[in-house]
Amino acid sequence: VDVFLVVSTVVAIFILFVVSLYLLVYYQHPDDHNEAYLPKAVVMGGIMLAGATALLLPLDVANNEGYAGCDGYDTAFCGGLNMELFWNI
């Protein structure tokens, strides 16, 4: 497993979490300050899912590293991440 890809994925998820939290707090109504936690969690999950879907394509390209054998028969030089699992989630 390529350590750089794992670290960059964790950092990207953290940045997506911070951005979605900021957007939620910025656009919430002042009367909803300490109420309705479940809808807020759903909105944050949706924003994070949309951002993660947009970032999966560069991660998939970086994981293959341009090696033709990454298609399935020789995966020794690939990034080591199971991208089919990422796309199915």
Side-chain angles (χ1 to χ4, degrees):
V1 175
D2 192 3
V3 177
F4 175 74
L5 289 177
V6 173
V7 170
S8 63
T9 303
V10 170
V11 169
I13 290 172
F14 178 73
I15 291 172
L16 281 172
F17 178 77
V18 170
V19 167
S20 66
L21 182 65
Y22 174 77
L23 288 173
L24 182 70
V25 170
Y26 185 75
Y27 286 110
Q28 76 179 355
H29 194 273
D31 293 340
D32 289 337
H33 181 63
N34 285 327
E35 296 178 4
Y37 291 114
L38 182 63
K40 289 178 185 178
V42 170
V43 168
M44 282 188 58
I47 293 172
M48 288 182 63
L49 183 64
T53 302
L55 292 175
L56 272 180
L57 183 62
L59 179 65
D60 195 3
V61 171
N63 189 43
N64 283 337
E65 298 178 2
Y67 179 63
C70 290
D71 292 333
Y73 59 89
D74 185 19
T75 59
F77 297 108
C78 300
L81 298 176
N82 185 3
M83 292 308 296
E84 289 184 24
L85 176 66
F86 276 86
W87 283 108
N88 287 332
I89 291 175

